[in-house]
């Protein structure tokens, strides 16, 4: 998949374009992508996703994001998209009038445009599907995708993750929620109690579920492990910042500086404050048994 930061960078060819933030690339987004690919095959032109970095609500409302740009690009590549244009979404870009956005689209000579029915663009959200039809008569406007009678939205997935409900998030995403982070040096407390962990640094603003989880982990070298993760404030040791720590089953070694991809398989429990390290050590043993049972199943 080819990636660009501006429509002006891509070759001068006709296209079919899907537009949106695609934060999380959930089931609703996947329905848009299916329509995009179908139209691209019909017209025999490249399928292009026009998206924003960061997602628009991150800038306009200060929400956390579900996908970093590298995560989003990996997912779009997985779904077979030919090209992605990830435009930097800055205050200046958000303030552009709708006519400038339409002019950008025109340069890509769209045969068809695919959007959600609630898509608006330009300063003050002045642009709508009606404006898109002015530059391309074949505009596919999809209604909100639903599951169990409820709309599938990135906002809803963020709320589920905030409550630690990774099962609910998985149902809306169509896959387990994932986070990528670089292993950095922590205080090494886990080693002293027999449960060494990799302390992961993720980009600021990445949505993470709070609690203790069974996880599957993949390194940037392709190595794979089962494990358990804790995301939280570590109240037993009076932690002062949120930590994302992963214990890898049956692993011994040094992962500092490596990037790990963590897939949240199931929530085991919420974060707890224990009377001391002995009680914490015993609970971690029970957590490991539960995690191994989940991953084995």
């Amino acid at each position: 998949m080819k990636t660009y930061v501006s429509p002006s960078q891509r070759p001068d060819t006709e296209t079919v374009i899907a537009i949106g933030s695609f934060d999380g690339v959930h089931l609703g987004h996947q329905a848009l992508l299916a329509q995009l690919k179908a139209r691209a095959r019909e017209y025999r032109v490249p399928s292009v996703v026009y998206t924003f970095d960061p997602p628009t609500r991150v800038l306009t409302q200060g929400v956390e994001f579900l996908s970093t740009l590298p995560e989003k690009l990996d997912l779009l590549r997985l779904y077979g998209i030919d090209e992605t244009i990830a435009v930097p979404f800055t205050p200046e870009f958000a303030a552009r009038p709708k006519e400038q956005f339409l002019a950008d689209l025109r340069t890509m000579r769209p045969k068809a445009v695919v959007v959600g029915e609630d898509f608006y663009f330009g300063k003050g959200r002045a642009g709508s599907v009606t404006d898109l039809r002015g530059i391309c008569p074949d505009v596919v406007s999809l209604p909100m995708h639903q599951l169990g009678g409820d709309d599938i939205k990135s906002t809803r997935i963020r709320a589920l993750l905030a409550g630690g409900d990774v099962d609910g998030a998985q149902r809306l995403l169509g896959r387990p929620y994932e986070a990528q982070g670089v292993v950095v040096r922590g205080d090494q407390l886990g080693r002293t109690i027999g449960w060494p962990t990799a302390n992961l640094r993720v980009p600021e603003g990445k949505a993470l579920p709070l609690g203790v989880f069974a996880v599957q982990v993949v390194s940037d070298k392709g190595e794979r492990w089962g494990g358990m993760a804790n995301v939280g404030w570590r109240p037993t040791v009076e932690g002062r910042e949120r930590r994302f720590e992963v214990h890898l089953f049956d692993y011994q070694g040094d992962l500092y500086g490596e990037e790990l991809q963590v897939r949240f398989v199931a929530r085991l429990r919420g974060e707890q404050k224990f009377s001391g390290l002995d009680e914490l050590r015993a609970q971690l043993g029970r957590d490991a048994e539960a995690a191994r049972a989940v991953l084995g199943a």
Side-chain angles (χ1 to χ4, degrees):
M1 183 181 74
K2 298 176 181 178
T3 60
Y4 310 99
V5 298
S6 168
S8 63
Q9 292 182 321
R10 65 169 311 279
D12 181 20
T13 65
E14 294 179 321
T15 61
V16 172
I17 309 169
I19 313 170
S21 287
F22 290 91
D23 191 21
V25 195
H26 54 57
L27 290 175
H29 297 142
Q30 292 166 38
L32 286 177
L33 297 178
Q35 287 290 325
L36 169 69
K37 293 171 62 178
R39 282 294 200 279
R41 286 193 298 268
E42 178 183 343
Y43 289 113
R44 297 184 180 181
V45 298
S47 58
V48 179
V49 167
Y50 189 108
T51 190
F52 311 100
D53 179 41
T56 56
R57 291 179 186 269
V58 174
L59 177 69
T60 60
Q61 299 179 16
V63 303
E64 293 185 316
F65 50 82
L66 302 176
S67 302
T68 64
L69 182 58
E71 288 169 343
K72 184 192 299 186
L73 294 176
D74 284 346
L75 288 167
L76 293 174
R77 188 176 296 111
L78 178 67
Y79 289 112
I81 304 307
D82 295 319
E83 303 177 21
T84 295
I85 301 171
V87 176
F89 193 72
T90 62
E92 293 76 19
F93 186 89
R96 298 196 318 164
K98 66 178 184 180
E99 290 79 12
Q100 289 188 19
F101 187 81
L102 292 169
D104 283 349
L105 296 184
R106 264 193 207 94
T107 65
M108 292 188 280
R109 296 195 280 148
K111 301 288 288 184
V113 176
V114 183
V115 293
E117 64 180 1
D118 62 342
F119 177 69
Y120 296 92
F121 58 92
K123 183 179 180 180
R125 292 166 56 88
S128 68
V129 170
T130 301
D131 296 291
L132 294 176
R133 291 195 172 101
I135 65 166
C136 175
D138 188 1
V139 175
V140 181
S141 175
L142 293 184
M144 189 72 68
H145 210 63
Q146 293 191 329
L147 185 67
D150 293 322
D151 290 343
I152 298 176
K153 304 171 67 174
S154 298
T155 301
R156 187 176 166 208
I157 297 172
R158 290 188 198 99
L160 290 169
L161 292 174
D165 187 357
V166 293
D167 288 338
Q170 176 174 337
R171 285 192 293 272
L172 302 187
L173 289 166
R175 64 181 187 281
Y177 186 64
E178 297 180 350
Q180 295 178 2
V182 176
V183 180
V184 297
R185 194 170 295 276
D187 52 23
Q188 300 187 339
L189 174 64
R191 294 179 185 275
T192 68
I193 61 174
W195 294 97
T197 60
N199 185 32
L200 296 185
R201 183 180 64 221
V202 300
E204 185 175 354
K206 168 75 174 179
L208 291 174
L210 298 179
V212 179
F213 304 88
V215 297
Q216 295 171 331
V217 183
V218 182
S219 76
D220 52 11
K221 298 176 182 177
E223 299 167 297
R224 297 175 180 270
W225 305 275
M228 59 184 185
N230 179 81
V231 184
W233 299 86
R234 305 184 306 156
T236 303
V237 296
E238 305 296 333
R240 297 180 180 274
E241 60 181 3
R242 185 180 72 174
R243 291 282 186 89
F244 179 15
E245 299 174 311
V246 181
H247 173 77
L248 305 177
F249 296 146
D250 308 315
Y251 174 80
Q252 292 182 341
D254 183 349
L255 291 168
Y256 292 126
E258 290 196 39
E259 184 173 68
L260 300 182
Q261 181 182 56
V262 179
R263 175 178 294 175
F264 293 89
V265 177
R267 190 176 197 245
L268 303 176
R269 61 177 174 87
E271 192 171 38
Q272 299 172 242
K273 183 172 182 177
F274 298 97
S275 61
L277 295 182
D278 287 341
E279 188 180 2
L280 172 60
R281 181 188 297 111
Q283 180 60 54
L284 291 174
R286 292 189 289 270
D287 292 339
E289 289 182 11
R292 286 183 183 273
V294 168
L295 296 173

